[in-house]
Amino acid sequence: LTHKVETNIIVFSVKNPDYLLAHLEKRGVKAVFFGDGLVRMVTNLNVNTDDAETAIHALNSYSGEIS
């Protein structure tokens, strides 16, 4: 790459988005279905380190496949 891209948007694919979204919601993490097996998460200035760690733990505890 010739330049670094900085963004607050994360998009990834998952086999069963509905299951992942329900899993995240139960753990207080918001994400949205983004079409064709994709899930989208976005941070903002109100997201602090604890919030990010909550999201990481929620994603790590999901038993389905994320890519």
Side-chain angles (χ1 to χ4, degrees), residues 12 14 16-35 37-41 58-59 62 66:
F12 52 91
V14 60
N16 296 302
D18 291 335
Y19 293 125
L20 174 62
L21 294 175
H23 175 84
L24 294 175
E25 185 175 352
K26 287 179 186 176
R27 287 153 182 83
V29 177
K30 295 180 181 178
V32 296
F33 178 70
F34 202 55
L38 298 175
V39 171
R40 179 178 184 247
M41 300 176 80
L59 287 167
Y62 180 65
I66 298 173

Side-chain angles (χ1 to χ4, degrees), residues 3 5 10 18 38 40 50 54 64:
H3 62 279
V5 176
I10 303 163
D18 291 335
L38 298 175
R40 179 178 184 247
D50 289 339
T54 296

Side-chain angles (χ1 to χ4, degrees), residues 38-56:
L38 298 175
V39 171
R40 179 178 184 247
M41 300 176 80
V42 179
T43 63
N44 64 47
L45 294 176
N46 296 319
V47 175
N48 60 36
T49 301
D50 289 339
D51 297 330
E53 288 179 2
T54 296
I56 290 167

